[in-house]
Amino acid sequence: MNILFRGGRAFTPRGVVAEAVLVRDGVIAAVGEERELARQAHETVDLDGGLLAPGFTDAHLHPVQAGLERAKCDLAEDFGLDTYIEKISEYAAKNPDKEWIDGGGWDMAAFPGGLPHRDQIDFLDRPAYLIQRDHHAAWVNTRALDRAGITRDTPDPADGRIERDADGAPTGVLHEGAMDLVGLLTPRPTAQDLKDALADAQRHLFSLGITGWQDAIVGSYAGSDDQLPTYLAAARSGRLRARVVGALWWDRTRGLDQIEDLVARRASAEGLDRFSATSVKIMQDGITENFTAATLEPYCLCGGTGLSYVDPAKLRGYVAELDRLGFQVHFHAIGERAVREALDSFEGTDPGNRHHIAHLQIIEPSDVPRFAALGVTANLQPLWATHHAQMDELTLPYLGEPRSSWQYPFADLLARGTRFCAGSDWPVSNADPLQGMHVAVNRTEPGGSVHAGYPTAQTPFLPGQRIDLATAMTAYTAGSAWINRSPAGAVEPGRPADLVVLDRDPFDLPPGEIWTTRARMTFVDGEVVHESR
């Protein structure tokens, strides 16, 4: 079947061109004059003034977890304690037979100092376990603490912290590794639950024009179960239509002894058309708002320099062995010390393994040129680079200057020749790539976001770090496809016809309106997988 896309422009490696695109049997056959290509078409898709772009690839997200949370007590689209309590109460009333009230999506900025309290949800007649929007903390009630046996005498785990009142009593907030003290007690999802979660996530991502992704944690973490069997079953059955790479979780309680397991897990996916497990995810630190991001100098107000979850003295050896075995290494690094430790570990590695560092909230300026020098890709999550409530009320006061001005230095990285890919970290933040591009270009909150009404939301955050729309869109298409070794990612002959039809051309819009663009149709191998009504 030959399909002709006409009536708009296309985003191609040559730029945005006013040309038609012919797809033959699921592959892009030609980009050129409509009159010449029309004779070969069996069907026509009228772009109606919109833009044809490569299907987006999200280089860092957690879709199975997102699908599970969407089926539970989902607070991700809400903000404020009163709203949370109303939503939690409604969920509890609708699910009287559930043993636990679980879910998540609460925002630290909704609470003084970023911290909720167990008392606020002690009205529930069951234990509660609600994961923070960033997935670096959990809010639990007294029943959950009792179920886990957590008291004032319970020690903090090495990779986390139990938040405590002035008298030492647990407050009901569990940071990082402490989440597992309760999270592992919650009811385990069934194989069917996981299957349904992945299917729901795939539908949602297709609706946003996303045709591929890298799942940033495939393994057991923060109370979640290993998703590898779910992906393998979906790929073997044909239910997985997107092109997916799983980043296998590096267990920070272990060392090189886990390498053999990782090799076996990678081998279990060999030969599959839609899924591979060729990346390894190392979480090197936490987040700034709970002081677990690894910094070079102490935090303001509270002191301390955060946590390096993997001993930097051992990290280089771990990465060297993974690199030798042909694994890609995918780092989580938020603080400037964690970024430096990740870059140090890549010294002497093979750039052909396409290593990347995600989040990159704070980069000490002397480390910026090291990305290009080492062949390390910067994996951007642009949505976070704004004056949202969490940034202004928690992050900036804790970081101080000059460190606050080192955040999300996209333009500096670009000027030094750094390769970009991009992602959302969904369900931590909105999965819509156009909203991410909006922030990358404007450094302001997209209209309609949970923080869009915040007083400084439309004040550009470090505006000198803006990048242009073509660069941002390339990061979400060719850049992320390259990280995944996907054959898609560009509108050019010979590529799979993984495409998105946007309802308007964002290159024709004022920059402040980029976020209004929507995916009208999404194609995988030339077949429609989403069409808006």
Side-chain angles (χ1 to χ4, degrees), residues 60-79:
H60 184 109
L61 80 174
H62 311 277
V64 179
Q65 186 65 28
L68 289 172
E69 289 182 16
R70 281 158 60 93
K72 297 180 183 179
C73 184
D74 186 9
L75 307 176
E77 300 301 320
D78 302 293
F79 185 80

Side-chain angles (χ1 to χ4, degrees), residues 123-139:
F123 68 88
L124 293 166
D125 60 356
R126 285 159 276 174
Y129 179 78
L130 300 165
I131 299 173
Q132 176 223 3
R133 184 187 301 269
D134 288 354
H135 283 226
H136 289 270
W139 178 19

Side-chain angles (χ1 to χ4, degrees), residues 4 225 304 345 423 500 530:
L4 182 70
D225 292 342
S345 76
V500 56
H530 163 76

Side-chain angles (χ1 to χ4, degrees), residues 124-188:
L124 293 166
D125 60 356
R126 285 159 276 174
Y129 179 78
L130 300 165
I131 299 173
Q132 176 223 3
R133 184 187 301 269
D134 288 354
H135 283 226
H136 289 270
W139 178 19
V140 304
N141 60 3
T142 300
R143 289 176 183 269
L145 292 170
D146 291 344
R147 183 75 66 94
I150 298 173
T151 69
R152 69 181 66 246
D153 299 320
T154 304
D156 289 341
D159 61 347
R161 185 174 80 250
I162 301 168
E163 196 70 39
R164 303 173 195 271
D165 284 328
D167 64 358
T171 67
V173 176
L174 307 173
H175 298 286
E176 306 294 342
M179 297 168 67
D180 279 348
L181 299 177
V182 172
L184 293 176
L185 302 178
T186 61
R188 299 295 86 197

Side-chain angles (χ1 to χ4, degrees), residues 188-456:
R188 299 295 86 197
T190 65
Q192 187 64 46
D193 291 336
L194 294 165
K195 173 183 174 182
D196 293 344
L198 178 56
D200 175 60
Q202 181 173 247
R203 282 192 298 272
H204 179 66
L205 295 170
F206 281 161
S207 78
L208 301 174
I210 296 168
T211 57
W213 63 79
Q214 185 162 144
D215 190 316
I217 298 179
V218 175
S220 299
Y221 165 72
S224 66
D225 292 342
D226 181 19
Q227 307 92 341
L228 182 60
T230 304
Y231 274 116
L232 295 177
R236 288 168 181 156
S237 68
R239 296 190 305 272
L240 185 66
R241 301 289 305 281
R243 302 179 197 275
V244 179
V245 169
L248 302 173
W249 177 243
W250 179 268
D251 185 344
R252 56 202 184 212
T253 67
R254 300 172 64 188
L256 289 173
D257 62 298
Q258 65 189 290
I259 295 281
E260 185 177 347
D261 295 341
L262 293 170
V263 170
R265 285 163 66 77
R266 177 175 63 180
S268 69
E270 288 178 358
L272 295 177
D273 180 45
R274 296 286 155 170
F275 179 76
S276 63
T278 50
S279 189
V280 172
K281 167 68 175 299
I282 299 178
M283 184 178 287
Q284 187 58 10
D285 68 345
I287 58 173
T288 58
E289 294 81 10
N290 66 8
F291 322 123
T292 56
T295 59
L296 293 170
E297 299 294 334
Y299 287 94
C300 301
L301 307 179
C302 63
T305 57
L307 301 174
S308 292
Y309 291 139
V310 181
D311 182 349
K314 299 177 180 178
L315 183 63
R316 181 173 294 195
Y318 298 159
V319 171
E321 182 61 10
L322 291 169
D323 179 73
R324 186 186 70 79
L325 292 169
F327 280 104
Q328 173 190 90
V329 179
H330 177 164
F331 267 103
H332 162 118
I334 293 281
E336 72 273 20
R337 189 179 84 237
V339 173
R340 180 169 292 178
E341 290 166 353
L343 289 169
D344 288 347
S345 76
F346 286 136
E347 292 280 358
T349 59
D350 180 3
N353 286 328
R354 307 189 185 190
H355 305 306
H356 50 126
I357 305 176
H359 308 326
L360 302 167
Q361 180 170 348
I362 313 165
I363 307 177
E364 201 279 328
S366 68
D367 285 324
V368 169
R370 298 181 66 197
F371 283 81
L374 294 170
V376 174
T377 297
N379 189 332
L380 311 181
Q381 282 65 63
L383 266 178
W384 305 346
T386 71
H387 278 292
H388 52 273
Q390 187 165 303
M391 174 64 74
D392 285 3
E393 297 174 15
L394 298 176
T395 305
L396 294 179
Y398 297 152
L399 293 182
E401 291 296 346
R403 190 164 47 197
S404 289
S405 65
W406 298 345
Q407 295 187 81
Y408 307 113
F410 302 160
D412 289 350
L413 287 163
L414 181 65
R416 293 289 189 160
T418 306
R419 183 187 289 270
F420 287 165
C421 63
S424 64
D425 209 7
W426 185 57
V428 171
S429 46
N430 193 307
D432 186 350
L434 273 303
Q435 292 207 19
M437 293 179 215
H438 177 98
V439 174
V441 171
N442 294 282
R443 306 283 287 205
T444 59
E445 283 288 308
S449 76
V450 71
H451 292 304
Y454 185 71
T456 59

